[in-house]
Amino acid sequence: MQLQINNRFSSELPADSNETNATRQVLNACFSYVTPRVPSNPKLVHVTSEVAEQIGISNEETQSEDFLNIFSGKKILPNSKPYSMNYAGHQFGNWAGQLGDGRAIILAEVAHNSSVYSLQLKGAGSTPYSRKADGLAVLRSSIREHLCSEAMHHLGVPTTRSLSLILTGDQVLRDVMYDGHPDYEKGAIVCRVAPGFIRFGNFELFAAQNDVKTLKQLADFTIKYHFPEITSNEKDRYIQFFKLVADKTRNMIVHWQRVGFVHGVMNTDNMSILGLTIDYGPYGWLEDYNPNWTPNTTDRNHRRYRFGNQPDIALWNLFQLANGLYPLVEEAAPFEAILEEFQLLYQNDYTHMMRKKLGFTLVSKDDHKMITELEELLQLSETDMTIFFRELGRVQKDHSAGCAIATIDDAFYKPEEIKKEILKKWERWFKKYIFRLNEEDHSDDHRKQEMDSVNPKYVLRNYMAQLAIDAANKEDYSIIAELHEMLKKPYDEQIMFEKWYAKRPDWARDKIGSSMLSCSS
């Protein structure tokens, strides 16, 4: 297995002079060299062949002992020197200081077909940034990350990818619900792949340390390799950089809202500078349409990272990034203008996205009101978001309001609740909706095709991931493979996977791992 190593991050940016894995505060350095922990008995559970091909590894090579050893941390790639990145961040709205890659180790950057990718192991042991943790990961969280990374990619959501899922053969002690009942679980490692893993928190760190020299080095490096369209050499380059990051972040959030994804831990250290969904912890998809839902048990009281609050949190995080970049510009007004513009642009993008979900190609002044009314209606009774929008595409121009309601009936968790006042409200909305459809030029069939291209049929619901986890704990990895295959085509009908097109079962409503989750991994 020959990979073309191109370690530009570690060769062009300042390194920590201490090369041990000992926990410490790291100053004036973008990263620290580390040595992955050697697993006792690694075993390959699953590999994403298209990601392997993307970085220059053949299908045959993914089944080799060399592949297993390298992507479990047992063997180091030739001409490489693994490292973990140094960054800070705001966690749940509070400044947390230095954080860094506590359980992530970048094996190398590799070049293939004119692109460069960072290969990062998650769960390969402690780093200087592990604080009091062990730097390891368990099978359940690794399965969730492996499946979700690929699910998001095929949904068209900007994301990191997952190359492989490997068991380490070691046991890891974890307190799943932070309730004082720890237990041993199977250890595992995921190899994450992305053009880069630079976060908002990388810039926050050096601004907080008043290390403007390293801050500038990092910003210039990021612009050079990830935003080459910026050509200015003046301070304006950093404003342009911030604007592009804001645009990419806004695009990512619109996609999250489109498919009903809730990240769960939108700390600034979990925000990619490239607008990629990163760090899959206690994430989830909306089952019933509930803007106040969060999958994170740590966030259950304040619900800071609830579904409906994700756009505002993105803006708040961008404000923190602006503070991090301020020392390079020393003017607040340009940043403030971009932040103010973010809200208006987001609302325009969101409305445009919702028009597509509703099957509208023409623009009407009443669209915003119709969207708002629908969002309120969806909350009157438990209504499955994914199924509702997928079935909405079957409503036709000649339907009555009653027929339209019957069309989306399967989306209701308790159809018997759709009566009296709730039924009247649905009837009024569908009358307006059908009238609006009749203003469109396209046929019902054409509109359904367009709606099906933005309203997925299959998403990785938490209960589905939990079924894969439960089976994997018994050494049955067939559900992982099945879900991985199905989620490659989330917008297709895929009749062979029809059993997964269903509302959350009652047993999953309150089951650990199938409803809310903790950050424990």
Side-chain angles (χ1 to χ4, degrees), residues 203 218-248 273-274 325 335 338:
F203 299 91
L218 176 64
D220 289 343
F221 172 90
T222 307
I223 291 170
K224 176 182 177 180
Y225 290 113
H226 299 295
F227 298 87
E229 62 269 41
I230 299 175
T231 56
S232 170
N233 289 318
E234 305 300 325
K235 288 185 176 182
D236 182 60
R237 68 195 268 101
Y238 305 114
I239 298 300
Q240 293 178 46
F241 168 52
F242 181 69
K243 176 66 168 65
L244 290 172
V245 174
D247 289 344
K248 288 179 178 291
I273 210 76
L274 303 180
L325 294 172
F335 292 111
I338 294 169

Side-chain angles (χ1 to χ4, degrees), residues 23-309:
T23 302
R24 58 186 178 274
Q25 287 292 306
V26 177
L27 299 175
N28 311 118
C30 291
F31 65 95
S32 300
Y33 290 113
V34 296
T35 303
R37 181 177 184 269
V38 176
S40 64
N41 185 28
K43 176 183 178 181
L44 180 65
V45 173
H46 195 266
V47 66
T48 306
S49 57
E50 67 175 90
V51 177
E53 182 181 359
Q54 190 174 17
I55 62 176
I57 301 175
S58 69
N59 281 336
E60 182 180 8
E61 288 172 324
T62 63
Q63 303 305 310
S64 68
E65 184 176 356
D66 200 28
F67 180 92
L68 178 64
N69 288 337
I70 287 171
F71 293 104
S72 67
K74 190 172 183 178
K75 177 182 176 182
I76 304 301
L77 276 165
N79 303 315
S80 69
K81 197 172 182 181
Y83 61 91
S84 291
M85 295 172 68
N86 188 15
Y87 49 83
H90 283 81
Q91 297 191 322
F92 298 95
N94 300 306
W95 176 243
Q98 177 185 293
L99 296 167
D101 285 332
R103 75 165 96 245
I105 298 173
I106 293 179
L107 289 180
E109 290 178 273
V110 299
H112 187 65
N113 290 340
S114 301
S115 295
V116 176
Y117 304 95
S118 291
L119 310 182
Q120 185 187 75
L121 298 188
K122 183 175 181 180
S126 63
T127 78
Y129 312 103
S130 296
R131 299 182 292 284
K132 296 180 180 180
D134 57 20
L136 304 176
V138 296
L139 180 59
R140 59 179 162 81
S141 63
S142 301
I143 288 172
R144 287 173 53 79
E145 174 133 16
H146 182 63
L147 289 175
C148 193
S149 300
E150 293 308 295
M152 292 285 272
H153 170 74
H154 292 291
L155 283 166
V157 183
T159 180
T160 55
R161 303 291 300 274
S162 181
L163 169 65
S164 57
L165 171 63
I166 294 176
L167 280 167
T168 63
D170 302 307
Q171 294 291 300
V172 179
L173 187 65
R174 286 292 182 268
D175 187 348
V176 179
M177 298 306 292
Y178 300 130
D179 59 1
H181 296 88
D183 200 359
Y184 283 98
E185 301 183 49
K186 294 180 179 180
I189 294 173
V190 165
C191 179
R192 307 195 287 192
V193 178
F197 287 92
I198 301 171
R199 305 145 187 269
F200 287 18
N202 292 76
F203 299 91
E204 287 185 280
L205 174 70
F206 300 120
Q209 293 177 343
N210 198 29
D211 182 1
V212 180
K213 178 183 176 181
T214 308
L215 175 64
K216 185 176 186 303
Q217 285 180 285
L218 176 64
D220 289 343
F221 172 90
T222 307
I223 291 170
K224 176 182 177 180
Y225 290 113
H226 299 295
F227 298 87
E229 62 269 41
I230 299 175
T231 56
S232 170
N233 289 318
E234 305 300 325
K235 288 185 176 182
D236 182 60
R237 68 195 268 101
Y238 305 114
I239 298 300
Q240 293 178 46
F241 168 52
F242 181 69
K243 176 66 168 65
L244 290 172
V245 174
D247 289 344
K248 288 179 178 291
T249 301
R250 188 180 72 252
N251 176 64
M252 177 186 72
I253 298 296
V254 170
H255 277 297
W256 287 4
Q257 305 304 101
R258 174 176 64 84
V259 300
F261 176 78
V262 193
H263 185 279
V265 201
M266 286 181 69
N267 298 328
T268 57
D269 57 295
N270 292 339
M271 296 291 291
S272 163
I273 210 76
L274 303 180
L276 304 175
T277 313
I278 192 172
D279 291 343
Y280 292 99
Y283 66 79
W285 266 268
L286 290 187
E287 303 285 355
D288 58 301
Y289 184 84
N290 179 4
N292 291 317
W293 183 72
T294 173
N296 193 344
T297 56
T298 309
D299 197 27
R300 60 156 55 104
N301 292 326
H302 301 290
R303 299 186 182 272
R304 175 181 176 83
Y305 297 142
R306 62 192 182 275
F307 175 72
N309 205 35

Side-chain angles (χ1 to χ4, degrees), residues 467-497:
L467 288 173
I469 291 166
D470 291 344
N473 281 326
K474 300 174 183 176
E475 301 185 7
D476 175 2
Y477 309 120
S478 61
I479 299 181
I480 294 175
E482 180 177 347
L483 291 176
H484 193 274
E485 187 65 26
M486 178 192 75
L487 293 167
K488 288 181 181 178
K489 298 179 179 179
Y491 300 100
D492 292 359
E493 288 298 324
Q494 300 193 87
I495 302 303
M496 72 290 288
F497 295 125

